[in-house]
């Protein structure tokens, strides 16, 4: 088996790693499916939506990995669009909406504060940095093979095409006998 190292393969590996990095947290949340209700405080009980969202996220991750290693590796444009939709319509709202809303509320001073909070071990800050890093890798993975998906396809010139036909058929197509029409 020969492994090609080109922009699409590198992109596929980056996107696969990004998607696989999401599996652990979703498996943890999905494992709470037996608990139908969760106590938020001593007096407040709510439905366990996280387990349902985790199962849906795992299904979408599996679909994304399947698209990457089937159509994406064959350079099908539809697979690139599916992954763009995955990143923009699934990943950003589910994993980064709270981060972007917090960033909008606080502004640029948010960055040093989130790094400081992550070093102190605050869960939101650590999750925000991890999600932003994953988004960065996903965007790089989508932009690296743009030319492979949307660049011009190489065509043989007319002279080269006849040589290719001669080599494949064993005869020169210009010298082949064509029957006359009656």
């Amino acid at each position: 088996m020969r492994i090609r190292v080109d922009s699409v393969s590198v992109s596929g590996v980056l996107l696969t790693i990004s998607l696989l990095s999401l599996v652990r947290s979703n498996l943890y949340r999905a494992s709470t499916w037996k608990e139908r209700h969760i106590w938020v405080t001593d007096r407040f009980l709510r439905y366990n939506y996280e387990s349902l969202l985790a199962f849906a996220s795992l299904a979408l991750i599996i679909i994304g990995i399947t698209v990457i290693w089937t159509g994406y590796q064959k350079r099908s444009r539809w697979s690139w669009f599916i992954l763009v939709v995955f990143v923009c319509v699934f990943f950003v709202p589910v994993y980064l909406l709270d981060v972007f809303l917090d960033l909008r509320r606080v502004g640029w001073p948010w960055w040093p504060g989130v790094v400081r909070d992550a070093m102190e071990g605050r869960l939101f800050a650590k999750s925000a940095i991890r999600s932003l890093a994953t988004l960065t890798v996903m965007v790089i993975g989508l932009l690296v093979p743009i030319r492979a998906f949307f660049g011009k396809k190489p065509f043989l010139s007319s002279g080269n095409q006849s040589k290719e036909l001669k080599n494949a058929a064993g005869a020169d197509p210009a010298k082949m006998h064509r029957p006359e029409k009656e």
Side-chain angles (χ1 to χ4, degrees):
M1 184 170 128
R2 191 166 183 205
I3 298 174
R4 287 187 303 185
V5 179
D6 58 356
S7 62
V8 176
S9 298
V10 170
S11 171
V13 169
L14 288 175
L15 290 168
T16 301
I17 290 170
S18 298
L19 292 179
L20 289 176
S21 72
L22 305 174
V23 170
R24 182 175 171 230
S25 62
N26 284 310
L27 282 176
Y28 174 74
R29 288 187 188 104
S31 69
T32 64
W33 66 273
K34 291 181 181 177
E35 300 171 24
R36 302 304 290 164
H37 296 89
I38 296 175
W39 288 98
V40 177
T41 63
D42 291 339
R43 296 181 184 175
F44 182 63
L45 181 73
R46 67 171 176 80
Y47 192 72
N48 185 5
Y49 291 110
E50 284 87 4
S51 66
L52 302 175
L53 288 174
F55 280 114
S57 296
L58 288 170
L60 289 171
I61 290 167
I62 291 169
I63 290 169
I65 291 173
T66 304
V67 167
I68 290 169
W69 292 107
T70 55
Y72 195 78
Q73 290 300 318
K74 294 178 185 175
R75 293 169 175 76
S76 299
R77 288 182 181 172
W78 61 265
S79 62
W80 187 85
F81 284 115
I82 286 175
L83 291 172
V84 168
V85 168
F86 180 87
V87 170
C88 296
V89 179
F90 169 70
F91 182 78
V92 171
V94 170
Y95 290 93
L96 287 171
L97 185 62
D98 289 336
V99 174
F100 289 148
L101 290 175
D102 197 38
L103 179 62
R104 181 177 172 211
R105 183 179 54 82
V106 176
W108 284 109
W110 182 83
W111 292 103
V114 80
V115 171
R116 186 175 45 254
D117 289 346
M119 293 166 102
E120 293 174 4
R122 295 206 172 109
L123 189 60
F124 178 76
K126 288 169 64 174
S127 174
I129 290 176
R130 189 179 312 118
S131 296
L132 288 169
T134 303
L135 177 66
T136 303
V137 172
M138 285 182 169
V139 169
I140 290 170
L142 286 171
L143 294 179
V144 165
I146 287 283
R147 187 172 288 160
F149 284 99
F150 300 103
K152 292 182 180 178
K153 303 291 182 194
F155 290 109
L156 294 174
S157 64
S158 61
N160 290 339
Q161 286 178 351
S162 64
K163 289 178 188 175
E164 290 296 321
L165 288 174
K166 179 180 178 184
N167 292 339
D172 188 1
K175 295 181 181 177
M176 293 179 73
H177 173 68
R178 293 188 177 128
E180 295 180 19
K181 293 182 182 178
E182 294 180 23

